[in-house]
Amino acid sequence: MIGGGLAATALVAALRSRGRADRVHVVTKGGPFPIDHPPLSKELFSRDAPVNLAEQFGVPLGKWNTGREALQIVPSGGPSGGFHEVRYGGSAGSAGSDVWRDVVIATGVEPFVPPLLAGALTLANWEDARRLRSELTPGRHLAIIGGGWIGLELASSASRAGLRVTVIELGGRPLPLLPTEVSDRVGEWLGESGVEFVPAGVEALRGHEVVTSGGVIRADVVVAALGSRPRTGWLPVEWRTPTGHLPVDRAGHVVVDDGAPVPGAWAIGDVAAVDGVPHQHWNAAVAAAERCAAALTGEEPGRVPAPHVFSTMFGRDLDLVGWPQRDLAIAWRGGDSSGDSWTALMHGRDGRTHAGLVVGRPRDVADLKKLLANGPAAVDAREAAVAPRLRPLRR
């Protein structure tokens, strides 16, 4: 297996539960143990050590080969599979190559920082977190470029720690991929916490000065939180699909059908796109690892669950289940959006529920995961807004 993050750790655990962990070799350029990345933004000021995923999943690190970076894979030419050669770079002790019958690609993603933002800090690993903690002392001004999940989680942590925080978002509102009504409600949380939100595009970064379409913002620390791109530049170009950031010849997700791009090669976690859609979240990585373990051991892989994102920000727990789109209509559960406990059901013109953003209502999370298990589901929006539990439309 190439890569040593969450998906890799979950796959080792899944194979171990099937009595097959002794056949797994993990090759990663990472550190001595895999770490959990979501707490980096949510717990930036409260965590003194990274979360060791090997301990969390109960897997041994005996075959965790660290400090080796995969540079190229030479796939087998046979249509029914064969042996794939993986070539490595690095120090004299880590360069070379291995030949494997089955190769699992779990190299994850890296932060996307366009050239015009060269010099901005990022938050992608434990070293990034340590540097940010040393920079972000109370009273300083933090500018975050990007109002998505990571940007808002960092804004929440920093404002709570006594920093002045400005979030800059080209999309005009926080979480811009959600319907406007939902994004606006989240935007109110920023104002309540003293976070300034600037709806503008960024034109340049000059030291600590962010030049936007609306003026110049001077900060002590600037962080780019503009999403990520998959670490796939070392893979054959025909395995990759274009992303929103880079053409296919430079990067792209690995397109998988039941986990395998070609016979004997598999892709899981953030690096993969299932049915052309990347599911870059904790729950999706673990589910993909379980399906891959089943396929590798001759079992029938389980179905792909509905996407599920969990976040904590501004004193609230959020769960996003399903496939949100900006043009979906909203039905509120638990009253309107003015309280601290509500669910925004997102409906399409086809009469089906496509997604739900849940704040402080765990039963709704469980219901949505069941409701959307097989894709968008037919729901009576008016009834769903007041019913005790979420159920599909009875025909």
Side-chain angles (χ1 to χ4, degrees):
M1 178 154 43
I2 312 301
L6 170 62
T9 309
L11 179 57
V12 173
L15 289 171
R16 190 180 189 211
S17 70
R18 293 166 169 80
R20 300 287 295 276
D22 60 319
R23 300 183 60 184
V24 182
H25 295 264
V26 179
V27 181
T28 174
K29 70 173 184 178
F33 59 84
I35 73 168
D36 197 11
H37 290 115
L40 295 179
S41 53
K42 300 172 188 173
E43 304 172 10
L44 180 64
F45 297 95
S46 59
R47 181 168 292 281
D48 295 322
V51 177
N52 186 333
L53 286 170
E55 293 180 353
Q56 191 175 62
F57 281 84
V59 300
L61 294 174
K63 296 185 178 180
W64 223 265
N65 192 341
T66 62
R68 303 188 78 188
E69 180 178 8
L71 298 181
Q72 184 183 15
I73 184 169
V74 182
S76 165
S80 60
F83 291 90
H84 303 285
E85 180 187 3
V86 180
R87 299 172 182 172
Y88 308 99
S91 61
S94 62
S97 65
D98 290 321
V99 177
W100 309 100
R101 178 176 293 278
D102 291 307
V103 177
V104 178
I105 301 155
T107 42
V109 293
E110 60 189 1
F112 171 65
V113 182
L116 65 86
L117 295 182
L121 302 183
T122 58
L123 183 54
N125 53 48
W126 183 245
E127 290 306 312
D128 289 346
R130 291 180 60 184
R131 179 178 178 181
L132 269 178
R133 283 185 66 168
S134 68
E135 295 271 0
L136 297 179
T137 54
R140 302 196 82 192
H141 184 193
L142 166 65
I144 302 171
I145 303 173
W149 295 100
I150 298 300
L152 296 191
E153 288 171 357
L154 178 57
S156 173
S157 298
S159 63
R160 192 169 60 247
L163 283 98
R164 176 189 168 198
V165 180
T166 299
V167 174
I168 308 163
E169 169 56 54
L170 174 63
R173 48 197 172 86
L175 302 180
L177 298 182
L178 298 183
T180 301
E181 295 174 71
V182 181
S183 295
D184 288 347
R185 180 62 188 112
V186 174
E188 293 177 15
W189 300 345
L190 275 70
E192 294 166 359
S193 300
V195 175
E196 180 187 15
F197 183 80
V198 177
V202 175
E203 300 176 351
L205 177 62
R206 298 194 297 246
H208 291 168
E209 292 186 341
V210 184
V211 182
T212 77
S213 54
V216 176
I217 297 172
R218 296 171 177 83
D220 298 302
V221 182
V222 179
V223 173
L226 295 171
S228 58
R229 64 184 185 187
R231 291 190 176 99
T232 55
W234 61 285
L235 294 173
V237 67
E238 61 268 20
W239 289 9
R240 294 177 264 146
T241 182
T243 71
H245 305 313
L246 294 171
V248 67
D249 61 339
R250 293 184 59 196
H253 291 92
V254 181
V255 179
V256 297
D257 180 12
D258 293 330
V262 298
W266 311 78
I268 58 174
D270 290 350
V271 78
V274 181
D275 295 328
V277 180
H279 295 175
Q280 295 185 1
H281 301 293
W282 204 98
N283 296 287
V286 175
E290 183 64 33
R291 293 195 307 277
C292 186
L296 286 168
T297 55
E299 301 174 14
E300 183 68 25
R303 63 190 178 190
V304 178
H308 175 207
V309 183
F310 172 77
S311 181
T312 299
M313 62 178 72
F314 304 107
R316 299 165 174 88
D317 291 339
L318 287 75
D319 291 85
L320 178 63
V321 182
W323 302 267
Q325 300 173 39
R326 281 175 285 195
D327 60 350
L328 295 176
I330 301 298
W332 300 101
R333 279 176 59 79
D336 59 23
S337 63
S338 60
D340 287 331
S341 175
W342 47 264
T343 296
L345 298 176
M346 305 179 201
H347 303 287
R349 295 179 181 177
D350 55 6
R352 297 185 298 170
T353 295
H354 289 245
L357 180 69
V358 183
V359 178
R361 294 172 62 90
R363 287 205 307 179
D364 281 3
V365 177
D367 286 349
L368 278 167
K369 290 167 73 173
K370 293 179 182 178
L371 182 70
L372 304 178
N374 296 312
V379 172
D380 185 313
R382 184 175 299 178
E383 179 181 336
V386 296
R389 301 298 295 265
L390 285 169
R391 296 289 186 263
L393 183 66
R394 297 178 182 177
R395 297 190 182 277

Short mmCIF file of all heavy atoms in Angstrom, two decimals, residues 138-201:
data_model
loop_
_atom_site.label_atom_id
_atom_site.label_comp_id
_atom_site.label_asym_id
_atom_site.label_seq_id
_atom_site.Cartn_x
_atom_site.Cartn_y
_atom_site.Cartn_z
N PRO A 138 -2.79 35.55 21.19
CA PRO A 138 -3.93 36.45 21.40
C PRO A 138 -3.62 37.89 20.99
O PRO A 138 -2.53 38.42 21.26
CB PRO A 138 -4.20 36.33 22.90
CG PRO A 138 -3.72 34.96 23.24
CD PRO A 138 -2.51 34.73 22.38
N GLY A 139 -4.58 38.51 20.33
CA GLY A 139 -4.44 39.90 19.91
C GLY A 139 -3.92 40.08 18.50
O GLY A 139 -4.06 41.17 17.93
N ARG A 140 -3.33 39.02 17.93
CA ARG A 140 -2.83 39.15 16.56
C ARG A 140 -3.99 39.02 15.56
O ARG A 140 -5.07 38.54 15.91
CB ARG A 140 -1.77 38.09 16.26
CG ARG A 140 -0.57 38.13 17.20
CD ARG A 140 0.60 37.35 16.63
NE ARG A 140 1.37 38.16 15.66
CZ ARG A 140 2.29 37.65 14.84
NH1 ARG A 140 2.53 36.34 14.84
NH2 ARG A 140 2.96 38.44 14.02
N HIS A 141 -3.73 39.43 14.34
CA HIS A 141 -4.75 39.43 13.29
C HIS A 141 -4.46 38.29 12.32
O HIS A 141 -3.41 38.24 11.69
CB HIS A 141 -4.76 40.77 12.56
CG HIS A 141 -5.84 40.87 11.53
ND1 HIS A 141 -5.86 41.87 10.56
CD2 HIS A 141 -6.94 40.10 11.28
CE1 HIS A 141 -6.92 41.72 9.80
NE2 HIS A 141 -7.59 40.64 10.20
N LEU A 142 -5.42 37.38 12.18
CA LEU A 142 -5.31 36.25 11.26
C LEU A 142 -6.24 36.48 10.08
O LEU A 142 -7.44 36.71 10.26
CB LEU A 142 -5.69 34.94 11.97
CG LEU A 142 -5.95 33.72 11.10
CD1 LEU A 142 -4.67 33.28 10.37
CD2 LEU A 142 -6.51 32.56 11.93
N ALA A 143 -5.71 36.40 8.87
CA ALA A 143 -6.52 36.45 7.65
C ALA A 143 -6.56 35.05 7.05
O ALA A 143 -5.50 34.44 6.80
CB ALA A 143 -5.94 37.44 6.65
N ILE A 144 -7.76 34.55 6.84
CA ILE A 144 -7.94 33.21 6.26
C ILE A 144 -8.55 33.38 4.88
O ILE A 144 -9.63 33.97 4.72
CB ILE A 144 -8.88 32.35 7.13
CG1 ILE A 144 -8.33 32.23 8.55
CG2 ILE A 144 -9.08 30.97 6.51
CD1 ILE A 144 -9.30 31.59 9.53
N ILE A 145 -7.86 32.89 3.86
CA ILE A 145 -8.36 32.97 2.49
C ILE A 145 -9.09 31.67 2.19
O ILE A 145 -8.47 30.62 2.01
CB ILE A 145 -7.21 33.21 1.50
CG1 ILE A 145 -6.45 34.48 1.88
CG2 ILE A 145 -7.75 33.31 0.08
CD1 ILE A 145 -5.19 34.70 1.07
N GLY A 146 -10.41 31.73 2.17
CA GLY A 146 -11.21 30.54 1.95
C GLY A 146 -12.22 30.35 3.06
O GLY A 146 -11.84 30.27 4.24
N GLY A 147 -13.51 30.31 2.70
CA GLY A 147 -14.57 30.18 3.70
C GLY A 147 -15.25 28.83 3.66
O GLY A 147 -16.46 28.74 3.92
N GLY A 148 -14.49 27.77 3.33
CA GLY A 148 -15.02 26.41 3.38
C GLY A 148 -14.89 25.82 4.77
O GLY A 148 -14.72 26.54 5.76
N TRP A 149 -14.96 24.50 4.85
CA TRP A 149 -14.96 23.83 6.16
C TRP A 149 -13.71 24.13 6.96
O TRP A 149 -13.79 24.52 8.14
CB TRP A 149 -15.12 22.32 5.96
CG TRP A 149 -16.44 21.92 5.38
CD1 TRP A 149 -16.70 21.60 4.09
CD2 TRP A 149 -17.69 21.83 6.08
NE1 TRP A 149 -18.03 21.32 3.94
CE2 TRP A 149 -18.67 21.45 5.13
CE3 TRP A 149 -18.08 22.04 7.40
CZ2 TRP A 149 -20.00 21.27 5.48
CZ3 TRP A 149 -19.41 21.86 7.74
CH2 TRP A 149 -20.36 21.48 6.79
N ILE A 150 -12.53 23.94 6.34
CA ILE A 150 -11.28 24.14 7.08
C ILE A 150 -11.13 25.60 7.49
O ILE A 150 -10.73 25.91 8.62
CB ILE A 150 -10.07 23.68 6.25
CG1 ILE A 150 -10.16 22.18 5.95
CG2 ILE A 150 -8.77 23.99 6.98
CD1 ILE A 150 -10.18 21.31 7.18
N GLY A 151 -11.44 26.51 6.57
CA GLY A 151 -11.32 27.93 6.90
C GLY A 151 -12.19 28.33 8.06
O GLY A 151 -11.76 29.08 8.95
N LEU A 152 -13.43 27.85 8.10
CA LEU A 152 -14.33 28.21 9.19
C LEU A 152 -13.96 27.53 10.49
O LEU A 152 -14.10 28.12 11.57
CB LEU A 152 -15.78 27.86 8.81
CG LEU A 152 -16.36 28.63 7.62
CD1 LEU A 152 -17.86 28.38 7.52
CD2 LEU A 152 -16.08 30.12 7.71
N GLU A 153 -13.50 26.29 10.43
CA GLU A 153 -13.05 25.63 11.66
C GLU A 153 -11.86 26.36 12.26
O GLU A 153 -11.79 26.56 13.49
CB GLU A 153 -12.68 24.17 11.36
CG GLU A 153 -13.88 23.28 11.07
CD GLU A 153 -13.49 21.91 10.56
OE1 GLU A 153 -12.28 21.66 10.38
OE2 GLU A 153 -14.40 21.09 10.35
N LEU A 154 -10.93 26.77 11.41
CA LEU A 154 -9.77 27.53 11.90
C LEU A 154 -10.21 28.88 12.45
O LEU A 154 -9.73 29.33 13.50
CB LEU A 154 -8.76 27.71 10.77
CG LEU A 154 -7.51 28.54 11.11
CD1 LEU A 154 -6.76 27.95 12.29
CD2 LEU A 154 -6.61 28.64 9.88
N ALA A 155 -11.14 29.55 11.77
CA ALA A 155 -11.65 30.83 12.26
C ALA A 155 -12.29 30.68 13.62
O ALA A 155 -12.11 31.52 14.51
CB ALA A 155 -12.65 31.40 11.26
N SER A 156 -13.05 29.61 13.80
CA SER A 156 -13.70 29.36 15.08
C SER A 156 -12.67 29.17 16.19
O SER A 156 -12.76 29.78 17.26
CB SER A 156 -14.59 28.12 14.96
OG SER A 156 -15.10 27.73 16.21
N SER A 157 -11.65 28.32 15.94
CA SER A 157 -10.63 28.06 16.95
C SER A 157 -9.84 29.32 17.28
O SER A 157 -9.56 29.60 18.45
CB SER A 157 -9.66 26.97 16.44
OG SER A 157 -10.33 25.75 16.21
N ALA A 158 -9.48 30.09 16.25
CA ALA A 158 -8.66 31.28 16.47
C ALA A 158 -9.43 32.38 17.20
O ALA A 158 -8.89 33.05 18.09
CB ALA A 158 -8.13 31.79 15.13
N SER A 159 -10.69 32.59 16.84
CA SER A 159 -11.47 33.63 17.51
C SER A 159 -11.69 33.27 18.98
O SER A 159 -11.65 34.14 19.85
CB SER A 159 -12.81 33.84 16.80
OG SER A 159 -13.61 32.67 16.86
N ARG A 160 -11.89 31.99 19.24
CA ARG A 160 -12.07 31.55 20.63
C ARG A 160 -10.78 31.73 21.44
O ARG A 160 -10.82 31.90 22.65
CB ARG A 160 -12.52 30.09 20.64
CG ARG A 160 -13.02 29.60 21.99
CD ARG A 160 -13.69 28.24 21.89
NE ARG A 160 -12.79 27.21 21.40
CZ ARG A 160 -12.91 26.60 20.23
NH1 ARG A 160 -13.89 26.94 19.40
NH2 ARG A 160 -12.05 25.68 19.85
N ALA A 161 -9.63 31.69 20.75
CA ALA A 161 -8.33 31.84 21.42
C ALA A 161 -7.92 33.30 21.56
O ALA A 161 -6.81 33.59 22.02
CB ALA A 161 -7.26 31.08 20.65
N GLY A 162 -8.79 34.24 21.17
CA GLY A 162 -8.51 35.65 21.40
C GLY A 162 -7.84 36.37 20.26
O GLY A 162 -7.27 37.45 20.46
N LEU A 163 -7.90 35.81 19.04
CA LEU A 163 -7.33 36.49 17.89
C LEU A 163 -8.40 37.28 17.15
O LEU A 163 -9.59 36.97 17.21
CB LEU A 163 -6.70 35.48 16.94
CG LEU A 163 -5.34 34.94 17.37
CD1 LEU A 163 -5.48 33.60 18.04
CD2 LEU A 163 -4.40 34.84 16.17
N ARG A 164 -7.96 38.30 16.46
CA ARG A 164 -8.83 38.99 15.51
C ARG A 164 -8.78 38.20 14.21
O ARG A 164 -7.69 37.90 13.70
CB ARG A 164 -8.34 40.42 15.30
CG ARG A 164 -9.13 41.19 14.25
CD ARG A 164 -8.46 42.51 13.94
NE ARG A 164 -9.05 43.13 12.75
CZ ARG A 164 -8.47 44.10 12.05
NH1 ARG A 164 -7.27 44.56 12.43
NH2 ARG A 164 -9.06 44.61 10.99
N VAL A 165 -9.93 37.85 13.65
CA VAL A 165 -9.97 36.94 12.50
C VAL A 165 -10.77 37.56 11.36
O VAL A 165 -11.86 38.10 11.58
CB VAL A 165 -10.59 35.58 12.88
CG1 VAL A 165 -10.62 34.65 11.67
CG2 VAL A 165 -9.84 34.94 14.04
N THR A 166 -10.21 37.48 10.17
CA THR A 166 -10.91 37.89 8.95
C THR A 166 -10.92 36.71 7.99
O THR A 166 -9.87 36.10 7.72
CB THR A 166 -10.20 39.08 8.27
OG1 THR A 166 -10.19 40.20 9.16
CG2 THR A 166 -10.92 39.48 6.98
N VAL A 167 -12.10 36.38 7.47
CA VAL A 167 -12.25 35.32 6.48
C VAL A 167 -12.58 35.98 5.14
O VAL A 167 -13.52 36.78 5.04
CB VAL A 167 -13.36 34.33 6.86
CG1 VAL A 167 -13.59 33.32 5.75
CG2 VAL A 167 -13.00 33.61 8.16
N ILE A 168 -11.82 35.63 4.11
CA ILE A 168 -12.00 36.19 2.77
C ILE A 168 -12.47 35.07 1.85
O ILE A 168 -11.81 34.03 1.75
CB ILE A 168 -10.69 36.79 2.24
CG1 ILE A 168 -10.09 37.78 3.27
CG2 ILE A 168 -10.90 37.47 0.89
CD1 ILE A 168 -8.63 38.09 3.02
N GLU A 169 -13.60 35.28 1.19
CA GLU A 169 -14.18 34.21 0.36
C GLU A 169 -14.71 34.79 -0.95
O GLU A 169 -15.60 35.63 -0.94
CB GLU A 169 -15.29 33.49 1.13
CG GLU A 169 -16.14 32.54 0.31
CD GLU A 169 -15.33 31.47 -0.41
OE1 GLU A 169 -14.54 30.77 0.23
OE2 GLU A 169 -15.49 31.37 -1.65
N LEU A 170 -14.17 34.29 -2.06
CA LEU A 170 -14.59 34.73 -3.38
C LEU A 170 -16.06 34.40 -3.64
O LEU A 170 -16.76 35.15 -4.34
CB LEU A 170 -13.71 34.07 -4.44
CG LEU A 170 -14.10 34.30 -5.91
CD1 LEU A 170 -13.99 35.78 -6.25
CD2 LEU A 170 -13.19 33.47 -6.83
N GLY A 171 -16.55 33.29 -3.06
CA GLY A 171 -17.92 32.87 -3.31
C GLY A 171 -18.98 33.77 -2.71
O GLY A 171 -20.17 33.56 -2.93
N GLY A 172 -18.58 34.77 -1.92
CA GLY A 172 -19.52 35.75 -1.41
C GLY A 172 -20.18 35.40 -0.10
O GLY A 172 -20.82 36.25 0.53
N ARG A 173 -20.04 34.15 0.36
CA ARG A 173 -20.67 33.75 1.62
C ARG A 173 -19.94 32.52 2.15
O ARG A 173 -19.27 31.81 1.39
CB ARG A 173 -22.15 33.45 1.42
CG ARG A 173 -22.46 32.57 0.24
CD ARG A 173 -23.92 32.63 -0.15
NE ARG A 173 -24.20 31.92 -1.38
CZ ARG A 173 -24.46 30.62 -1.47
NH1 ARG A 173 -24.49 29.88 -0.36
NH2 ARG A 173 -24.71 30.05 -2.63
N PRO A 174 -20.06 32.23 3.45
CA PRO A 174 -19.42 31.03 3.99
C PRO A 174 -20.03 29.77 3.40
O PRO A 174 -21.21 29.75 3.01
CB PRO A 174 -19.72 31.13 5.49
CG PRO A 174 -20.13 32.53 5.73
CD PRO A 174 -20.75 33.02 4.46
N LEU A 175 -19.24 28.72 3.32
CA LEU A 175 -19.70 27.44 2.75
C LEU A 175 -20.49 27.70 1.47
O LEU A 175 -21.67 27.37 1.36
CB LEU A 175 -20.55 26.67 3.77
CG LEU A 175 -19.87 26.32 5.11
CD1 LEU A 175 -20.84 25.56 6.01
CD2 LEU A 175 -18.59 25.53 4.88
N PRO A 176 -19.85 28.28 0.47
CA PRO A 176 -20.59 28.77 -0.70
C PRO A 176 -21.21 27.68 -1.57
O PRO A 176 -22.02 27.99 -2.44
CB PRO A 176 -19.52 29.55 -1.48
CG PRO A 176 -18.22 28.95 -1.05
CD PRO A 176 -18.41 28.58 0.39
N LEU A 177 -20.86 26.42 -1.34
CA LEU A 177 -21.45 25.34 -2.12
C LEU A 177 -22.81 24.91 -1.58
O LEU A 177 -23.49 24.08 -2.19
CB LEU A 177 -20.50 24.14 -2.18
CG LEU A 177 -19.15 24.40 -2.86
CD1 LEU A 177 -18.33 23.12 -2.88
CD2 LEU A 177 -19.33 24.94 -4.27
N LEU A 178 -23.21 25.47 -0.45
CA LEU A 178 -24.52 25.17 0.12
C LEU A 178 -25.54 26.21 -0.35
O LEU A 178 -25.18 27.30 -0.80
CB LEU A 178 -24.45 25.18 1.65
CG LEU A 178 -23.53 24.15 2.31
CD1 LEU A 178 -23.65 24.25 3.82
CD2 LEU A 178 -23.84 22.74 1.84
N PRO A 179 -26.85 25.91 -0.25
CA PRO A 179 -27.86 26.92 -0.60
C PRO A 179 -27.69 28.19 0.21
O PRO A 179 -27.22 28.17 1.35
CB PRO A 179 -29.18 26.20 -0.27
CG PRO A 179 -28.87 24.75 -0.42
CD PRO A 179 -27.44 24.60 0.06
N THR A 180 -28.09 29.30 -0.37
CA THR A 180 -27.87 30.62 0.24
C THR A 180 -28.45 30.72 1.65
O THR A 180 -27.81 31.28 2.55
CB THR A 180 -28.48 31.71 -0.66
OG1 THR A 180 -27.88 31.65 -1.95
CG2 THR A 180 -28.25 33.09 -0.06
N GLU A 181 -29.66 30.21 1.86
CA GLU A 181 -30.29 30.30 3.18
C GLU A 181 -29.43 29.65 4.26
O GLU A 181 -29.33 30.16 5.39
CB GLU A 181 -31.67 29.64 3.16
CG GLU A 181 -32.69 30.30 2.28
CD GLU A 181 -33.96 29.48 2.22
OE1 GLU A 181 -34.70 29.43 3.24
OE2 GLU A 181 -34.22 28.85 1.18
N VAL A 182 -28.82 28.54 3.92
CA VAL A 182 -27.99 27.82 4.89
C VAL A 182 -26.68 28.57 5.12
O VAL A 182 -26.24 28.77 6.26
CB VAL A 182 -27.72 26.39 4.43
CG1 VAL A 182 -26.88 25.63 5.46
CG2 VAL A 182 -29.03 25.65 4.17
N SER A 183 -26.04 28.99 4.02
CA SER A 183 -24.79 29.75 4.15
C SER A 183 -24.99 31.01 4.97
O SER A 183 -24.14 31.38 5.79
CB SER A 183 -24.26 30.11 2.76
OG SER A 183 -23.90 28.97 2.04
N ASP A 184 -26.10 31.70 4.76
CA ASP A 184 -26.36 32.94 5.50
C ASP A 184 -26.48 32.67 6.99
O ASP A 184 -26.04 33.48 7.82
CB ASP A 184 -27.63 33.61 4.98
CG ASP A 184 -27.45 34.23 3.60
OD1 ASP A 184 -26.28 34.36 3.17
OD2 ASP A 184 -28.46 34.58 2.96
N ARG A 185 -27.09 31.55 7.35
CA ARG A 185 -27.22 31.24 8.78
C ARG A 185 -25.86 30.98 9.40
O ARG A 185 -25.56 31.46 10.50
CB ARG A 185 -28.13 30.00 8.97
CG ARG A 185 -28.30 29.62 10.44
CD ARG A 185 -28.97 30.74 11.23
NE ARG A 185 -28.98 30.49 12.66
CZ ARG A 185 -28.30 31.18 13.55
NH1 ARG A 185 -27.50 32.16 13.15
NH2 ARG A 185 -28.39 30.93 14.83
N VAL A 186 -25.01 30.26 8.70
CA VAL A 186 -23.65 30.03 9.19
C VAL A 186 -22.91 31.36 9.27
O VAL A 186 -22.13 31.60 10.21
CB VAL A 186 -22.91 29.04 8.28
CG1 VAL A 186 -21.45 28.90 8.70
CG2 VAL A 186 -23.60 27.67 8.31
N GLY A 187 -23.16 32.25 8.33
CA GLY A 187 -22.53 33.56 8.37
C GLY A 187 -22.87 34.35 9.62
O GLY A 187 -22.05 35.13 10.12
N GLU A 188 -24.08 34.15 10.14
CA GLU A 188 -24.46 34.82 11.39
C GLU A 188 -23.59 34.36 12.55
O GLU A 188 -23.30 35.14 13.47
CB GLU A 188 -25.93 34.56 11.68
CG GLU A 188 -26.89 35.20 10.68
CD GLU A 188 -28.33 34.86 10.97
OE1 GLU A 188 -28.61 34.37 12.10
OE2 GLU A 188 -29.19 35.04 10.08
N TRP A 189 -23.18 33.09 12.53
CA TRP A 189 -22.32 32.60 13.60
C TRP A 189 -20.99 33.34 13.60
O TRP A 189 -20.44 33.62 14.67
CB TRP A 189 -22.05 31.11 13.43
CG TRP A 189 -23.27 30.24 13.44
CD1 TRP A 189 -24.53 30.57 13.86
CD2 TRP A 189 -23.34 28.88 13.01
NE1 TRP A 189 -25.37 29.51 13.73
CE2 TRP A 189 -24.68 28.46 13.21
CE3 TRP A 189 -22.42 27.98 12.50
CZ2 TRP A 189 -25.10 27.17 12.90
CZ3 TRP A 189 -22.83 26.69 12.19
CH2 TRP A 189 -24.16 26.30 12.38
N LEU A 190 -20.47 33.64 12.41
CA LEU A 190 -19.21 34.38 12.34
C LEU A 190 -19.36 35.74 13.00
O LEU A 190 -18.51 36.15 13.82
CB LEU A 190 -18.77 34.55 10.89
CG LEU A 190 -17.97 33.42 10.25
CD1 LEU A 190 -18.84 32.18 10.03
CD2 LEU A 190 -17.36 33.86 8.92
N GLY A 191 -20.43 36.44 12.66
CA GLY A 191 -20.65 37.77 13.25
C GLY A 191 -20.80 37.70 14.75
O GLY A 191 -20.26 38.57 15.48
N GLU A 192 -21.52 36.71 15.26
CA GLU A 192 -21.71 36.55 16.70
C GLU A 192 -20.38 36.30 17.41
O GLU A 192 -20.23 36.65 18.59
CB GLU A 192 -22.66 35.40 16.98
CG GLU A 192 -24.09 35.63 16.49
CD GLU A 192 -24.92 34.36 16.48
OE1 GLU A 192 -24.37 33.28 16.84
OE2 GLU A 192 -26.09 34.42 16.09
N SER A 193 -19.41 35.70 16.71
CA SER A 193 -18.12 35.38 17.31
C SER A 193 -17.06 36.44 17.04
O SER A 193 -15.90 36.26 17.40
CB SER A 193 -17.62 34.02 16.78
OG SER A 193 -18.53 33.00 17.09
N GLY A 194 -17.46 37.54 16.40
CA GLY A 194 -16.52 38.62 16.14
C GLY A 194 -15.62 38.39 14.95
O GLY A 194 -14.63 39.12 14.76
N VAL A 195 -15.95 37.40 14.10
CA VAL A 195 -15.15 37.13 12.90
C VAL A 195 -15.64 38.01 11.76
O VAL A 195 -16.84 38.03 11.45
CB VAL A 195 -15.23 35.64 12.51
CG1 VAL A 195 -14.51 35.39 11.19
CG2 VAL A 195 -14.65 34.77 13.62
N GLU A 196 -14.74 38.74 11.15
CA GLU A 196 -15.09 39.58 9.99
C GLU A 196 -15.12 38.72 8.73
O GLU A 196 -14.18 37.94 8.48
CB GLU A 196 -14.07 40.70 9.83
CG GLU A 196 -14.36 41.61 8.64
CD GLU A 196 -13.24 42.62 8.40
OE1 GLU A 196 -12.14 42.44 8.95
OE2 GLU A 196 -13.48 43.58 7.64
N PHE A 197 -16.17 38.86 7.96
CA PHE A 197 -16.26 38.12 6.70
C PHE A 197 -16.19 39.10 5.54
O PHE A 197 -16.96 40.07 5.49
CB PHE A 197 -17.58 37.33 6.63
CG PHE A 197 -17.69 36.49 5.39
CD1 PHE A 197 -17.05 35.27 5.31
CD2 PHE A 197 -18.42 36.94 4.29
CE1 PHE A 197 -17.13 34.49 4.16
CE2 PHE A 197 -18.51 36.18 3.14
CZ PHE A 197 -17.86 34.94 3.08
N VAL A 198 -15.28 38.85 4.60
CA VAL A 198 -15.07 39.73 3.46
C VAL A 198 -15.39 38.96 2.18
O VAL A 198 -14.64 38.05 1.80
CB VAL A 198 -13.62 40.26 3.42
CG1 VAL A 198 -13.41 41.13 2.18
CG2 VAL A 198 -13.30 41.03 4.68
N PRO A 199 -16.49 39.29 1.50
CA PRO A 199 -16.83 38.61 0.25
C PRO A 199 -16.08 39.24 -0.91
O PRO A 199 -16.54 40.21 -1.52
CB PRO A 199 -18.34 38.83 0.14
CG PRO A 199 -18.58 40.12 0.85
CD PRO A 199 -17.54 40.24 1.92
N ALA A 200 -14.92 38.71 -1.23
CA ALA A 200 -14.09 39.33 -2.27
C ALA A 200 -13.13 38.30 -2.83
O ALA A 200 -12.79 37.30 -2.17
CB ALA A 200 -13.31 40.51 -1.70
N GLY A 201 -12.67 38.56 -4.03
CA GLY A 201 -11.61 37.75 -4.62
C GLY A 201 -10.25 38.28 -4.20
O GLY A 201 -10.10 39.47 -3.88
#
